Amino acid sequence: MEHIVCHAADYGLLPGDCRETTLALRKFLDNVRKNSRVTLEFTPGTYHFYPDYAYEKLLCISNHDEDTLKRIIFDLSETKGFHLIGNGAEFLFHTDCIPFYAHKAENLTLEGFSVDYVRPSYSEAEVLEVTPKTTVLRIDCELYPYEVRHGRLVFLGENFEHELTAWLEFDQKRCAPVHNILDMNFNGSRGEHFTWYEETGPNTVAVHIKDEKSFLPQSRPGNRLVLRHHPRSHPGFYVTQCEHVTLLNVQCHHATGIAFMAQRSRHLTLSHFNVCRSNKRPRIFTAAADATHFVYCGGKITIQESLFENQLDDAVNIHGIYARIKKVLQPGCFVAELVHPMQKGVCFAEIGEMLRCVDHQTMLETGQATIKSYSMLNRDYFYMELQEPVDGLIEGNSIENISWVPNVEISRCTFRNNRARGLLLTSAGNVLVEGNLFQVPGAAILMEGDASNWFESGTTQNIVISDNTFDNCSYVPDWGYAPIQATPRYQKTVPNRFYHQFLMLDGNRFLCFDDRLLHLENVGRVCFTHNKVQKTTAFPSRKGRPVFNKNCGELVQL
Amino acid sequence: MEHIVCHAADYGLLPGDCRETTLALRKFLDNVRKNSRVTLEFTPGTYHFYPDYAYEKLLCISNHDEDTLKRIIFDLSETKGFHLIGNGAEFLFHTDCIPFYAHKAENLTLEGFSVDYVRPSYSEAEVLEVTPKTTVLRIDCELYPYEVRHGRLVFLGENFEHELTAWLEFDQKRCAPVHNILDMNFNGSRGEHFTWYEETGPNTVAVHIKDEKSFLPQSRPGNRLVLRHHPRSHPGFYVTQCEHVTLLNVQCHHATGIAFMAQRSRHLTLSHFNVCRSNKRPRIFTAAADATHFVYCGGKITIQESLFENQLDDAVNIHGIYARIKKVLQPGCFVAELVHPMQKGVCFAEIGEMLRCVDHQTMLETGQATIKSYSMLNRDYFYMELQEPVDGLIEGNSIENISWVPNVEISRCTFRNNRARGLLLTSAGNVLVEGNLFQVPGAAILMEGDASNWFESGTTQNIVISDNTFDNCSYVPDWGYAPIQATPRYQKTVPNRFYHQFLMLDGNRFLCFDDRLLHLENVGRVCFTHNKVQKTTAFPSRKGRPVFNKNCGELVQL
């Protein structure tokens, strides 16, 4: 196999702040895309990438907002054996863009660089004063340009202008979400806080609540707020229909969405892939959403020796999608709906793949069949025909594609200080979680599955969680019931049938500030063996017993 | 040539309110698309078309907002000789959708039906009270569902939810824009009014101004407001790269954008195409933007015996696009920018077409050359190579495509009571405007051309305006200086060279409430012959002389 080694500098890819660098990169990639093996090696330094001349593509990205044209800087689509060696280069991006995208790539390796944004998609403030009706913020208008306009707080970016919609408070010392914190949402739908903004001095904004609600009693001067004002629109790394993708020794300090997002891809390895804070730009937040997210992936997902911290959503989420049967046109032939707004337009299946039909009340399988034809009518609906007759194919029931099931290994990672949870595991493959450190405010491990809210499938078969440390997790009630949680959503149970099959927790260490360990529903068999539990005084204790257990099968405890 | 006549009812296209009608239509059109000649005949009745199962396409529509996926009901793309006969059917659409779209169609005829929306994209209110700081509105919440939420006025549609951004006041008796009115814009950029909303009773909303500004002294109780709260996103009829398109005896009562929009199409005929108010749904407004708009069209544009009234922008606008030279890479090879937000992503040229280079100060031609290569980098920029050397190819100058120049005939139409102007004529073809009645608040005829604001090109050669009646036009200063206006934007003049070449006004009747007739700049030769001017007392007179004339060549007056 021909192997070409290219030095970035030879192609006009030089360190520095130049809008044409993106154009040079685009030209280079278009020229080598069809070559079988290409290594692109950068010299160390800081490279700026602007969206101005970037490639543009209509993308419906799962778990992101805005199904529209997105600018892409590194478009690695259809490459075979592409290897990027950063040599420690710093890649600085300018909004709005997707730094790395690959569609139908094979054997892709990205190695040895950092990713950050000059002006991130979120902003930050320090709480100066807080009373029930007013919070005074300090915002560095050099870093986070803003204007108070018509009583509204508007943040200005390089290519965006958005109103503040929400914030989340981080403890100044712990650099982690405040104990018992809640997301604060402003001026949107009816339930949100009604706020009003006033510029009270340079870098100082007073936020007044105009309705009967109050600011949170857990809010404190000195704490830091992540100010959210941008749609979750552009992942940092986005791979679709790829095979064998490896990220190695990559630091991702910010993304305008999920840091690493994969759909319908097989064999993905993240090793020393850190979604982490930067020394150069010491923001309290990293990615705008999850650190990693896998939708309808297959093969093996490996995440090892990585640090995921301070991102604005979960560390890892692995799942499929439930679509809802909308209209049965004739036997085995129907229109189905992608229900969740963030799943619109996502590819659900291909011909020949296997479909599972699911009862909407029990969430249990009614039957399986091969997909004979599949065509998207639009972002919302698709048309499908099945090869064999199948039970339960009625309007209101759900379907999932069971041809995409990854095995998962997550080991020797640290998950800390992010919004929400640690690992969301809903894969029917073999899942091993080993030797990790969890310091997360919500559930450290969550096994869900629902066809009513997030529409994230599916059932699990075999989850082994061993030799991990769960260090004072689950201190924010909104983000979980206990450090380990299984809560699929169902309305009815069937005797001796379960949504999740087998969960083993073995040899883990739990540092806990109260009694809560497991909250389990609808799991067939649970083994909780050789785990050590140690009490701490990290936070005030919350009500709850060590094992909450509802509609489960066998529980083995040693 | 094979000719198939199809009766809509035979294909499940039946009158009534059914979401699946769109799906049946889609199936029908996909099946007959490749046939050479198809007539589709509807039985009279009211047909509902929902976007749910509609075809969806990424469209960058000139002079519209939101370059994203659009739902399309009648997708007539690539048809050859398609003829729709409505037999007076009423087609009712549900937001958001483009009712009729055709790309690369030939010999398309649409005939004998009306188009309206169940819940239009704008809303309406009656002014109950008005003081400098407060206006009290009556809004029918059955027709125009709304909520006051966090002090904001939010309008709810079938598939939308948008805040009020602007309104325009119509005189209750004249059903036309109020004399001397201004657009009122709210809570957006700094210059806009800072307003605050309060629900004071059923169907009643008080609007308070919170800054130093006031409501307009020309506002009156009893007047009707068009409340604007939706992006200008979906034209009623949208044709691109088509030839020989005819709309005959079609009533368009609303569009979520321009009623009829054409790009890069040749030979377009609108006959008895009325953008007009409906008896059934007596709203004060019709289309959300212009009645008709033609960008880089060619062949002959014919508009005859049509009525365009109460739409929220001009009656007819015919122009090209100026792009700006951004970066010359090597001689004859450059990157250019589509500057105006509403022109992003629009196809500028094809290989082999002729380019004109324009000096950015004089707006006059520096040279012409054949386009050797053209490729869009993204919505903003394209790359171009020219066949021959050309003068003036420098950064900051503009370019236009001169291969698309239509001849225009607009005759026996009525233009009245809309926002803004009548005809915007910037075509270098032969333009004849004959026997029409103009009752518009802005300039009735406007010849512009600019590469600094709207970037709408270009120069005109031969415009003949004869036997029309201009009935008390130009009563809103914001929308024009005089009934007839030529105001290309330029910074410098060149002796004996002009932007517009020849304008003849012959045998017209001017009913005027003051002296103003012509406001002309940068026109080579103007003939004003055999016109009758009659004084009226329709409005208070405005300062100005009959002929304002600056940097023009010869003026012949008889």
Side-chain angles (χ1 to χ4, degrees):
Chain A
M1 206 192 274
E2 196 198 358
H3 183 186
I4 309 167
V5 179
C6 304
H7 295 278
D10 297 344
Y11 299 88
L13 296 167
L14 298 162
D17 188 350
C18 169
R19 275 173 205 260
E20 280 71 28
T21 307
T22 303
L23 199 57
L25 173 64
R26 184 171 173 171
K27 206 165 160 186
F28 171 80
L29 291 173
D30 282 344
N31 282 334
V32 303
R33 194 177 307 284
K34 300 291 175 189
N35 288 76
S36 51
R37 283 178 64 202
V38 173
T39 296
L40 175 63
E41 197 160 341
F42 282 80
T43 48
T46 298
Y47 297 74
H48 284 255
F49 295 100
Y50 287 86
D52 303 44
Y53 303 126
Y55 174 61
E56 190 175 56
K57 190 178 179 185
L58 173 73
L59 293 172
C60 295
I61 308 174
S62 190
N63 295 82
H64 282 74
D65 302 319
E66 298 195 314
D67 298 332
T68 185
L69 288 167
K70 314 267 178 174
R71 296 282 163 98
I72 294 156
I73 306 297
F74 284 83
D75 174 25
L76 305 168
S77 298
E78 290 176 61
T79 58
K80 309 269 177 268
F82 188 88
H83 188 171
L84 188 156
I85 301 177
N87 286 313
E90 180 187 41
F91 294 155
L92 282 181
F93 296 87
H94 295 258
T95 54
D96 283 338
C97 67
I98 297 177
F100 291 85
Y101 168 65
H103 181 63
K104 295 189 176 173
E106 288 173 23
N107 300 309
L108 173 64
T109 304
L110 304 174
E111 180 183 346
F113 58 90
S114 71
V115 166
D116 204 352
Y117 280 79
V118 171
R119 194 304 183 213
S121 59
Y122 286 171
S123 301
E124 198 174 315
E126 185 195 336
V127 178
L128 292 182
E129 287 173 46
V130 57
T131 65
K133 289 296 187 191
T134 297
T135 296
V136 181
L137 309 180
R138 194 194 155 276
I139 309 171
D140 184 331
C141 72
E142 291 288 317
L143 294 176
Y144 306 110
Y146 67 89
E147 273 184 28
V148 174
R149 200 194 282 166
H150 309 306
R152 305 178 182 198
L153 181 55
V154 177
F155 285 90
L156 311 169
E158 289 178 285
N159 290 293
F160 67 77
E161 187 177 307
H162 295 300
E163 213 187 318
L164 180 72
T165 56
W167 76 41
L168 179 65
E169 188 163 334
F170 280 67
D171 185 280
Q172 60 173 319
K173 288 192 193 126
R174 293 171 43 248
C175 292
V178 163
H179 173 244
N180 277 349
I181 199 67
L182 294 167
D183 288 297
M184 294 284 283
N185 298 297
F186 307 112
N187 301 315
S189 56
R190 278 208 179 274
E192 299 185 357
H193 285 69
F194 176 4
T195 46
W196 184 258
Y197 303 85
E198 193 190 355
E199 211 158 6
T200 52
N203 295 318
T204 317
V205 173
V207 188
H208 306 292
I209 291 185
K210 301 289 279 185
D211 60 9
E212 71 296 344
K213 295 199 186 67
S214 296
F215 285 110
L216 300 173
Q218 52 272 54
S219 182
R220 292 283 174 282
N223 280 346
R224 292 161 80 173
L225 300 175
V226 182
L227 305 176
R228 303 174 77 161
H229 51 69
H230 193 288
R232 182 200 274 212
S233 53
H234 294 75
F237 296 81
Y238 182 43
V239 304
T240 55
Q241 298 184 39
C242 289
E243 301 219 345
H244 296 286
V245 176
T246 302
L247 267 67
L248 182 62
N249 194 19
V250 170
Q251 329 297 319
C252 179
H253 300 304
H254 181 62
T256 315
I258 289 167
F260 180 86
M261 176 76 214
Q263 287 167 228
R264 288 180 78 80
S265 293
R266 283 190 182 87
H267 305 302
L268 306 169
T269 302
L270 306 178
S271 181
H272 296 88
F273 173 60
N274 302 327
V275 178
C276 63
R277 299 175 66 200
S278 146
N279 292 329
K280 274 196 181 173
R281 295 174 196 81
R283 304 173 201 125
I284 195 68
F285 62 93
T286 60
D290 311 66
T292 69
H293 208 116
F294 305 83
V295 175
Y296 276 141
C297 285
K300 173 109 184 250
I301 295 172
T302 307
I303 304 175
Q304 60 193 16
E305 298 184 77
S306 295
L307 165 65
F308 298 156
E309 64 175 4
N310 291 72
Q311 75 276 2
L312 270 288
D313 217 335
D314 314 314
V316 179
N317 191 348
I318 302 170
H319 63 87
I321 289 174
Y322 284 123
R324 190 194 277 155
I325 299 169
K326 179 77 181 175
K327 199 145 191 98
V328 178
L329 304 172
Q330 51 202 66
C333 168
F334 59 96
V335 172
E337 183 179 10
L338 293 169
V339 187
H340 194 276
M342 286 194 182
Q343 291 167 348
K344 299 292 184 187
V346 170
C347 176
F348 182 84
E350 277 185 15
I351 290 165
E353 294 179 346
M354 281 302 289
L355 194 81
R356 172 184 286 151
C357 194
V358 172
D359 181 276
H360 75 282
Q361 291 194 300
T362 65
M363 294 297 291
L364 297 172
E365 179 179 313
T366 58
Q368 296 187 7
T370 317
I371 295 162
K372 189 176 159 192
S373 111
Y374 164 80
S375 60
M376 288 180 77
L377 294 173
N378 50 43
R379 288 166 68 243
D380 292 329
Y381 296 100
F382 58 84
Y383 169 88
M384 194 172 264
E385 261 179 80
L386 301 178
Q387 206 130 312
E388 309 91 28
V390 65
D391 281 344
L393 198 73
I394 55 171
E395 286 157 32
N397 272 355
S398 292
I399 50 172
E400 67 173 321
N401 183 342
I402 53 171
S403 291
W404 288 85
V405 168
N407 296 315
V408 178
E409 189 180 324
I410 301 173
S411 56
R412 303 184 302 286
C413 296
T414 297
F415 307 109
R416 69 183 182 201
N417 304 341
N418 59 299
R419 180 185 176 280
R421 289 81 51 102
L423 315 181
L424 275 64
L425 304 172
T426 33
S427 171
N430 292 314
V431 177
L432 175 65
V433 176
E434 193 172 46
N436 303 285
L437 172 62
F438 292 88
Q439 298 173 314
V440 299
I445 306 284
L446 176 60
M447 297 149 63
E448 278 215 313
D450 80 89
S452 53
N453 182 23
W454 282 98
F455 291 83
E456 296 181 353
S457 64
T459 63
T460 67
Q461 298 295 324
N462 181 26
I463 296 192
V464 176
I465 295 171
S466 62
D467 298 321
N468 302 282
T469 299
F470 297 97
D471 178 6
N472 291 301
C473 297
S474 196
Y475 61 83
V476 174
D478 245 24
W479 302 333
Y481 301 129
I484 311 295
Q485 175 177 339
T487 45
R489 303 194 195 183
Y490 55 97
Q491 292 164 43
K492 277 187 184 170
T493 55
V494 176
N496 297 316
R497 288 189 68 194
F498 303 96
Y499 187 86
H500 293 300
Q501 300 312 311
F502 176 69
L503 170 65
M504 145 105 47
L505 287 139
D506 182 74
N508 299 287
R509 193 170 156 233
F510 286 87
L511 305 174
C512 293
F513 56 90
D514 58 22
D515 293 338
R516 295 169 304 124
L517 293 171
L518 314 179
H519 180 113
L520 305 171
E521 296 186 48
N522 214 335
V523 187
R525 186 157 189 263
V526 180
C527 295
F528 188 79
T529 53
H530 315 106
N531 299 291
K532 280 188 200 148
V533 180
Q534 202 176 320
K535 271 286 158 63
T536 76
T537 55
F539 301 105
S541 75
R542 210 163 111 197
K543 243 173 77 172
R545 49 186 199 260
V547 181
F548 173 93
N549 171 345
K550 187 177 159 190
N551 300 320
C552 287
E554 188 186 2
L555 174 63
V556 178
Q557 236 174 323
L558 285 178
Chain B
M1 207 193 273
E2 194 196 2
H3 183 187
I4 309 168
V5 179
C6 304
H7 295 277
D10 297 343
Y11 299 88
L13 296 166
L14 298 162
D17 189 351
C18 171
R19 274 172 206 261
E20 280 71 29
T21 307
T22 303
L23 199 57
L25 173 64
R26 184 172 172 171
K27 206 167 160 184
F28 171 81
L29 291 173
D30 282 344
N31 282 334
V32 303
R33 193 176 308 284
K34 300 291 174 188
N35 288 78
S36 52
R37 281 178 64 200
V38 173
T39 296
L40 175 63
E41 198 160 341
F42 282 81
T43 48
T46 298
Y47 297 74
H48 284 255
F49 296 100
Y50 287 86
D52 302 46
Y53 303 126
Y55 173 62
E56 190 173 59
K57 191 179 179 186
L58 173 73
L59 293 173
C60 295
I61 308 174
S62 190
N63 296 82
H64 282 74
D65 302 320
E66 297 195 316
D67 298 331
T68 187
L69 288 166
K70 314 267 178 172
R71 297 282 164 96
I72 294 156
I73 305 299
F74 284 83
D75 174 25
L76 305 168
S77 299
E78 291 177 57
T79 56
K80 309 270 178 269
F82 188 88
H83 188 171
L84 189 156
I85 301 179
N87 286 314
E90 180 187 40
F91 294 155
L92 281 180
F93 296 87
H94 295 257
T95 54
D96 284 336
C97 68
I98 298 177
F100 290 85
Y101 168 65
H103 180 63
K104 295 188 176 174
E106 287 172 24
N107 300 310
L108 174 63
T109 304
L110 305 174
E111 180 182 350
F113 58 90
S114 71
V115 165
D116 204 353
Y117 280 80
V118 170
R119 196 294 183 223
S121 58
Y122 287 169
S123 300
E124 199 173 316
E126 186 195 337
V127 177
L128 291 182
E129 288 172 46
V130 56
T131 66
K133 289 296 188 190
T134 298
T135 296
V136 181
L137 308 180
R138 193 194 156 276
I139 309 171
D140 185 331
C141 72
E142 292 289 317
L143 294 176
Y144 307 109
Y146 67 90
E147 273 183 29
V148 174
R149 199 194 283 167
H150 309 305
R152 305 177 181 199
L153 183 53
V154 177
F155 285 90
L156 312 169
E158 289 178 286
N159 291 293
F160 68 76
E161 187 178 306
H162 296 300
E163 213 187 318
L164 179 73
T165 55
W167 75 41
L168 180 65
E169 188 163 333
F170 280 68
D171 185 280
Q172 61 173 319
K173 288 193 192 123
R174 292 172 43 248
C175 292
V178 162
H179 173 244
N180 277 350
I181 199 65
L182 294 167
D183 288 297
M184 293 285 283
N185 298 297
F186 307 113
N187 301 314
S189 57
R190 278 207 179 278
E192 298 185 0
H193 284 69
F194 177 3
T195 47
W196 183 259
Y197 303 84
E198 194 190 355
E199 211 157 5
T200 51
N203 295 319
T204 317
V205 173
V207 187
H208 307 291
I209 290 185
K210 301 288 281 182
D211 59 10
E212 72 294 344
K213 296 199 184 66
S214 297
F215 285 108
L216 300 173
Q218 52 273 54
S219 182
R220 293 281 175 282
N223 279 348
R224 293 161 80 171
L225 300 176
V226 182
L227 305 177
R228 303 175 78 159
H229 51 70
H230 195 288
R232 182 201 274 213
S233 53
H234 295 76
F237 297 80
Y238 182 43
V239 304
T240 55
Q241 298 184 39
C242 289
E243 301 218 346
H244 296 286
V245 176
T246 302
L247 268 65
L248 182 62
N249 194 18
V250 169
Q251 328 297 319
C252 179
H253 300 304
H254 181 62
T256 314
I258 288 166
F260 180 87
M261 176 75 215
Q263 287 167 229
R264 286 180 80 79
S265 293
R266 283 191 182 87
H267 305 300
L268 306 169
T269 302
L270 306 178
S271 180
H272 296 88
F273 172 61
N274 302 328
V275 177
C276 63
R277 299 174 67 202
S278 146
N279 291 329
K280 275 195 180 174
R281 295 174 196 79
R283 305 172 201 124
I284 196 70
F285 62 92
T286 60
D290 311 65
T292 69
H293 207 116
F294 305 83
V295 175
Y296 275 142
C297 285
K300 173 109 184 249
I301 296 172
T302 307
I303 304 175
Q304 60 194 16
E305 298 184 77
S306 295
L307 165 65
F308 298 155
E309 64 177 3
N310 293 73
Q311 76 276 2
L312 269 289
D313 218 335
D314 313 314
V316 179
N317 191 348
I318 302 169
H319 63 87
I321 289 174
Y322 283 123
R324 190 195 275 156
I325 299 169
K326 179 75 182 177
K327 200 149 188 92
V328 178
L329 303 172
Q330 52 204 64
C333 168
F334 59 95
V335 172
E337 183 179 10
L338 293 170
V339 187
H340 194 277
M342 286 194 182
Q343 291 167 349
K344 300 290 184 189
V346 170
C347 176
F348 182 83
E350 278 185 14
I351 291 165
E353 294 179 347
M354 281 302 288
L355 193 81
R356 171 185 288 154
C357 194
V358 172
D359 180 276
H360 75 283
Q361 290 194 301
T362 64
M363 295 297 290
L364 298 173
E365 179 180 312
T366 58
Q368 297 187 6
T370 317
I371 296 163
K372 187 175 161 194
S373 115
Y374 163 80
S375 60
M376 287 181 77
L377 294 174
N378 51 41
R379 289 165 69 241
D380 293 328
Y381 296 101
F382 58 84
Y383 170 89
M384 195 172 262
E385 262 180 79
L386 301 178
Q387 206 132 309
E388 308 92 29
V390 64
D391 281 343
L393 197 73
I394 55 169
E395 286 158 33
N397 272 355
S398 292
I399 49 172
E400 68 173 319
N401 183 343
I402 52 170
S403 291
W404 288 86
V405 168
N407 296 316
V408 178
E409 189 180 325
I410 300 172
S411 56
R412 302 182 303 286
C413 295
T414 297
F415 307 109
R416 68 183 181 202
N417 304 341
N418 59 299
R419 179 186 176 280
R421 290 78 52 102
L423 315 181
L424 274 66
L425 304 173
T426 34
S427 172
N430 292 316
V431 178
L432 176 66
V433 176
E434 193 172 48
N436 303 285
L437 171 62
F438 292 88
Q439 297 172 316
V440 299
I445 306 284
L446 176 61
M447 297 150 65
E448 279 215 313
D450 81 89
S452 53
N453 182 25
W454 282 98
F455 291 84
E456 296 180 352
S457 65
T459 63
T460 66
Q461 299 295 323
N462 181 25
I463 297 191
V464 176
I465 295 171
S466 62
D467 298 320
N468 301 282
T469 299
F470 297 97
D471 179 5
N472 291 300
C473 296
S474 195
Y475 62 84
V476 174
D478 244 25
W479 301 333
Y481 301 130
I484 310 296
Q485 175 177 339
T487 46
R489 303 194 197 184
Y490 55 95
Q491 292 165 43
K492 278 188 184 170
T493 55
V494 175
N496 298 317
R497 287 189 68 194
F498 302 96
Y499 187 87
H500 293 299
Q501 299 313 311
F502 176 69
L503 171 64
M504 143 105 49
L505 287 138
D506 183 75
N508 299 288
R509 190 169 158 233
F510 286 86
L511 305 174
C512 293
F513 55 91
D514 58 23
D515 292 339
R516 293 168 304 122
L517 293 172
L518 314 179
H519 179 113
L520 304 171
E521 296 186 48
N522 214 336
V523 186
R525 186 156 190 264
V526 179
C527 296
F528 188 79
T529 53
H530 315 106
N531 298 291
K532 281 187 198 147
V533 180
Q534 200 176 321
K535 270 287 160 63
T536 77
T537 56
F539 302 104
S541 74
R542 212 163 110 195
K543 242 171 81 172
R545 49 186 199 261
V547 181
F548 174 93
N549 172 344
K550 187 175 160 192
N551 299 320
C552 287
E554 189 186 3
L555 174 60
V556 179
Q557 234 173 322
L558 286 179

